[in-house]
Amino acid sequence: MKHQISFNNVSHSYGKHLVIDQVSFTLDAGTITTLIGPNGAGKTTIAKLLLGIENPIYGEISRSTTRISYAPQQISINHDLPMTAKSFLEYIAPEYSTSPLSMDVLEFMHFHSIQDKQINTLSGGQRQGLVLASAILQSPELLVLDEPTQALDINGQQEFYKLLDKIRSSLGSTIFIISHDLFTVMQNSDQVLCLNNHICCKGTPTHTVIKGIDGVSFYSHHHDHKH
Amino acid sequence: MTLILLTIISISILLAPMGCIMLWHRYNYFHDGLVHACLFSGIFSYFFNLPQIFSMMIVAIIFTTLVFILKFYSNKNAIVSLISTTFLAITMILASKFNERTLFDAMLFGDIFTIEWHSLCLVLSILVIIWALLWKYLDQIVIMSIDPSIAKIANHPVHLIEFFILLILALVIAVSIKLIGAFLIGSLLIIPAIGARLIAKSPREMITWSVIIGIIAGICGFNLSLIYDWPLSPSISIMSVAIYITLTLKQKFYA
């Protein structure tokens, strides 16, 4: 399978604080990879490096894709910026109506009931649905999702998982998810990466999560690494 | 009188969109900071024998550059306050050694009553440039206001655009201080924008409404000043505030 992104011995720090240390992994085209790890493990830093927002201090990141979209965990909406849900989509994904997934995505976010509402009046779940929709409707080659189901209710989460499958089959996108939700990891991922400043384990969901939950490799690796 | 009115209307159209962008980018105290920093231009003019408009532009460029560089290390509004306090302190120390109060008085109330046609032409030229830039870059500016990381991923030159926004804002404020005075800047920059926010549903609508509010405040304030022989700047400020209060009440009781 073709590698779309590869991290080779990537390290990154903020000041003197080393956030990630010699991280290596590849993302194959058309696969779903989930990154898990405790708070402060460096997950957001990996996302920033992946997106090209920051450059690593050491190591190499190679990308064979330019069409990247990103759905942050939450957007802090400036109350001084008037914007309806519809105009939000028009700004972030101007060609949203031509996307092959347009109907599915608009239905997922209940677009018709929220399109004329101001974003700052939407609920947390509606706002997260809107942010996810805007990222998907850019028809990206690489889709990066940070905690995509955190604010969604049970129905919303189920619809989102169905949508993930459609994104992969219709667009062939490579999907990278940061998540604490083990259901996402088990049901929807091809590859799981466990991060705790370095990659503790990686592989198929069953193999990796059981190993992670076991607590032996995931946390003891970090402990060994620090000492 | 016609010249004064035309200048006030032109500056209203110039400042209103800049006020919106200032709010969107959370630079709520930028104009206050710059107004204080521009007092330094009086000292600059005194020492280098420069026309005050040029001194103000130089101070505006220095102020903007410092804000832009230092905002990476701390909260942007705190940095604005830090730099303006520094400029103000230096100005007061130097001003205590020289008796140049006339420069500062001119800055507070501007030269609107001695304005000439070439000054109006300068304002109109800046107006055309600013609106042309807005026309071209408004979408990028709005996306940056929504989320800078999304704008960066979409390959918008986020830092460059932000620097130019601040620079243009600073130069527009500097020119406006010279003409209408520091006192009136807030009334035509921020108050129309926050009034427009109450009724607008999109960024473009907000700009349109803020221009309309600015023009109405300018014209009504000008007439108020003529009819009741009130000072011009406070009359326009009172009208801006009155429009804002009316819109707030409308929003509260009729929305």
Side-chain angles (χ1 to χ4, degrees):
Chain A
M1 200 175 278
K2 188 187 162 196
H3 293 335
Q4 201 152 39
I5 304 271
S6 67
F7 274 50
N8 299 315
N9 286 323
V10 171
S11 299
H12 195 63
S13 65
Y14 295 110
K16 289 179 181 172
H17 178 55
L18 189 65
V19 183
I20 56 165
D21 185 18
Q22 296 192 8
V23 168
S24 297
F25 63 87
T26 56
L27 303 183
D28 294 328
T31 59
I32 299 179
T33 299
T34 305
L35 179 69
I36 58 173
N39 293 335
K43 300 190 294 295
T44 306
T45 304
I46 293 273
K48 284 179 180 173
L49 293 167
L50 192 60
L51 294 163
I53 294 175
E54 290 190 15
N55 295 314
I57 57 159
Y58 183 78
E60 189 190 33
I61 301 170
S62 62
R63 298 181 188 81
S64 63
T65 174
T66 51
R67 279 212 334 267
I68 302 173
S69 71
Y70 170 55
Q73 194 172 347
Q74 49 183 288
I75 285 181
S76 63
I77 302 294
N78 182 349
H79 284 253
D80 289 322
L81 181 68
M83 183 152 298
T84 60
K86 188 180 180 191
S87 51
F88 180 89
L89 270 191
E90 286 167 349
Y91 274 108
I92 305 293
E95 293 167 2
Y96 75 91
S97 56
T98 59
S99 165
L101 285 173
S102 180
M103 292 292 284
D104 295 297
V105 175
L106 296 181
E107 195 179 329
F108 157 72
M109 61 179 282
H110 308 292
F111 184 67
H112 294 295
S113 62
I114 66 165
Q115 62 175 328
D116 294 324
K117 285 187 180 174
Q118 287 289 307
I119 299 177
N120 53 26
T121 65
L122 299 179
S123 70
Q126 288 172 326
R127 212 181 279 184
Q128 186 158 35
L130 180 63
V131 172
L132 288 170
S134 66
I136 296 164
L137 290 173
Q138 291 173 55
S139 304
E141 288 173 341
L142 172 66
L143 176 62
V144 180
L145 308 171
D146 192 353
E147 297 285 358
T149 56
Q150 198 183 43
L152 301 180
D153 58 20
I154 299 292
N155 285 338
Q157 290 182 18
Q158 285 173 349
E159 286 172 34
F160 173 72
Y161 297 133
K162 285 182 199 164
L163 197 56
L164 268 189
D165 279 337
K166 283 188 185 169
I167 296 166
R168 188 157 51 160
S169 55
S170 305
L171 303 176
S173 305
T174 306
I175 302 170
F176 186 83
I177 304 173
I178 295 172
S179 181
H180 285 115
D181 180 4
L182 287 181
F183 187 79
T184 310
V185 178
M186 295 300 288
Q187 298 294 313
N188 300 283
S189 310
D190 300 304
Q191 178 183 220
V192 177
L193 304 171
C194 312
L195 183 77
N196 204 345
N197 304 113
H198 62 291
I199 297 288
C200 305
C201 47
K202 60 181 169 186
T204 60
T206 316
H207 172 75
T208 317
V209 172
I210 290 170
K211 215 177 159 191
I213 289 170
D214 186 33
V216 176
S217 65
F218 194 36
Y219 292 101
S220 64
H221 251 86
H222 179 51
H223 185 77
D224 294 345
H225 182 74
K226 275 196 158 179
H227 296 87
Chain B
M1 283 299 160
T2 312
L3 187 57
I4 295 172
L5 186 59
L6 284 175
T7 307
I8 290 169
I9 292 171
S10 307
I11 290 180
S12 304
I13 301 170
L14 186 63
L15 289 178
M18 299 312 292
C20 296
I21 293 171
M22 226 174 88
L23 288 180
W24 298 343
H25 284 259
R26 296 184 167 103
Y27 279 104
N28 302 18
Y29 304 108
F30 189 82
H31 75 287
D32 273 341
L34 184 60
V35 163
H36 287 125
C38 272
L39 287 171
F40 185 69
S41 67
I43 300 293
F44 215 80
S45 295
Y46 179 81
F47 276 112
F48 296 100
N49 203 18
L50 278 173
Q52 198 167 13
I53 186 82
F54 289 119
S55 303
M56 281 185 184
M57 285 183 168
I58 292 168
V59 171
I61 291 168
I62 296 170
F63 182 85
T64 305
T65 309
L66 288 174
V67 168
F68 182 76
I69 293 170
L70 294 177
K71 82 181 177 66
F72 292 105
Y73 301 98
S74 197
N75 175 289
K76 52 174 87 164
N77 284 315
I79 290 298
V80 167
S81 177
L82 172 86
I83 298 168
S84 77
T85 305
T86 310
F87 271 105
L88 198 56
I90 296 169
T91 306
M92 287 172 75
I93 290 167
L94 292 174
S96 69
K97 306 287 177 196
F98 310 100
N99 192 18
E100 282 299 316
R101 289 197 58 83
T102 47
L103 285 170
F104 304 130
D105 291 345
M107 280 190 58
L108 192 58
F109 298 106
D111 297 336
I112 192 79
F113 291 108
T114 55
I115 196 161
E116 291 172 14
W117 280 102
H118 65 80
S119 298
L120 178 61
C121 290
L122 173 71
V123 174
L124 290 174
S125 313
I126 297 172
L127 191 66
V128 170
I129 294 168
I130 298 289
W131 278 85
L133 288 171
L134 266 183
W135 186 265
K136 186 165 168 53
Y137 293 107
L138 186 63
D139 286 356
Q140 293 185 30
I141 292 169
V142 171
I143 294 169
M144 278 172 60
S145 311
I146 294 170
D147 191 302
S149 61
I150 291 177
K152 215 168 178 179
I153 293 159
N155 290 325
H156 298 307
V158 173
H159 294 312
L160 192 67
I161 292 177
E162 184 162 5
F163 180 70
F164 275 106
I165 288 172
L166 288 181
L167 192 62
I168 289 168
L169 184 59
L171 293 175
V172 165
I173 291 173
V175 171
S176 305
I177 291 174
K178 174 69 182 148
L179 296 176
I180 61 170
F183 186 77
L184 203 48
I185 298 285
S187 310
L188 293 178
L189 186 74
I190 290 294
I191 300 175
I194 57 173
R197 173 65 190 99
L198 295 170
I199 43 178
K201 291 185 171 61
S202 70
R204 283 175 200 276
E205 252 185 49
M206 184 166 159
I207 288 178
T208 309
W209 278 113
S210 67
V211 168
I212 292 169
I213 292 169
I215 291 174
I216 293 173
I219 294 172
C220 294
F222 181 77
N223 285 307
L224 208 61
S225 167
L226 281 183
I227 295 166
Y228 295 105
D229 196 24
W230 289 358
L232 180 61
S233 298
S235 304
I236 296 174
S237 297
I238 291 283
M239 280 315 302
S240 284
V241 174
I243 295 169
Y244 175 75
I245 292 171
T246 310
L247 290 171
T248 308
L249 291 174
K250 177 192 166 288
Q251 188 73 5
K252 188 167 174 59
F253 295 111
Y254 296 103

